[in-house]
Amino acid sequence: SQELEQSPQSLIVQEGKNLTINCTSSKTLYGLYWYKQKYGEGLIFLMMLQKGGEEKSHEKITAKLDEKKQQSSLHITASQPSHAGIYLCGADEGSARQLTFGSGTQLTVLP
Amino acid sequence: NAGVTQTPKFQVLKTGQSMTLQCAQDMNHEYMSWYRQDPGMGLRLIHYSVGAGITDQGEVPNGYNVSRSTTEDFPLRLLSAAPSQTSVYFCASSQLLGNTIYFGEGSWLTVV
């Protein structure tokens, strides 16, 4: 199975600042999922990327998958306290949508 | 829309006790999975199912059993709970041809 490394492990930013979270795989990514998790809650689906060079945006969050399909980045523009939480990347292992997850990035946005 | 429903939300067990975590989805999804989340380790796959009557092991299956008698339900059984099974458990479901994987809100289990 794949190994996913997320960086940074934690991030503290001032409200209004931009930030980027990276997810690097040991193997080619055939489906890369981004989720957000708040403490005590489930995982909220953000985006899913499949094609090399693909980029998707939702509100102020943009996710990209590099051409080699081994690294994805999540970029938040003009961060807000509502963006705070744990961001998780997950790689689709194939046959039944089983995901291998990174260890997560804890984001704190200071007002 | 109920989505993926997990029960119970919180449970405390004594070592050696057995229990079942329930997971139900109302979206007619073929795929269902169970994960556990431990601090600093992300989510790890326990068991998964591609349809009623079919289950398979994930990365960390020891100590857990599953069954899939209906499309809607995918219960996770702990036969003899151990402190190492203290964790947060998540159930997930998705369509055969869809790209979105839906997660339940989690079940917090403490084994003392």
Side-chain angles (χ1 to χ4, degrees), chain B residues 26-96:
Chain B
D26 61 357
M27 299 172 281
N28 202 32
H29 285 172
E30 294 86 355
Y31 297 147
M32 295 186 76
S33 304
W34 276 103
Y35 296 84
R36 59 177 288 173
Q37 184 178 32
D38 301 296
M41 298 186 74
L43 280 78
R44 292 180 292 167
L45 182 67
I46 305 172
H47 285 284
Y48 65 97
S49 169
V50 299
I54 306 170
T55 63
D56 208 344
Q57 297 181 349
E59 181 185 354
V60 288
N62 292 341
Y64 307 95
N65 278 356
V66 292
S67 60
R68 185 99 181 267
S69 55
T70 66
T71 300
E72 295 79 18
D73 300 300
F74 191 43
L76 179 72
R77 296 183 185 85
L78 284 72
L79 300 178
S80 179
S84 61
Q85 293 178 303
T86 294
S87 189
V88 185
Y89 292 84
F90 288 96
C91 180
S93 75
S94 63
Q95 284 182 312
L96 180 67

Side-chain angles (χ1 to χ4, degrees), chain A residues 32-68:
Chain A
L32 190 285
Y33 291 76
W34 282 101
Y35 285 89
K36 178 186 174 185
Q37 183 182 25
K38 290 204 164 184
Y39 182 77
E41 300 178 13
L43 278 68
I44 300 168
F45 173 76
L46 296 175
M47 277 166 277
M48 186 267 191
L49 305 165
Q50 276 184 306
K51 300 176 185 176
E54 187 175 10
E55 179 175 320
K56 289 185 178 178
S57 294
H58 177 68
E59 298 180 341
K60 294 185 178 180
I61 301 176
T62 300
K64 300 178 185 179
L65 182 62
D66 74 344
E67 289 288 346
K68 291 184 179 179

Side-chain angles (χ1 to χ4, degrees), chain A residues 79-104:
Chain A
S79 59
Q80 301 169 352
S82 61
H83 288 127
I86 299 172
Y87 288 82
L88 293 157
C89 63
D92 189 344
E93 293 287 353
S95 64
R97 305 260 153 59
Q98 317 97 288
L99 297 181
T100 294
F101 282 91
S103 57

Side-chain angles (χ1 to χ4, degrees), chain A residues 27-30 50 52 65-71:
Chain A
K27 299 181 182 179
T28 300
L29 293 161
Y30 291 102
Q50 276 184 306
L65 182 62
D66 74 344
E67 289 288 346
K68 291 184 179 179
K69 295 174 63 176
Q70 284 197 278
Q71 185 171 43

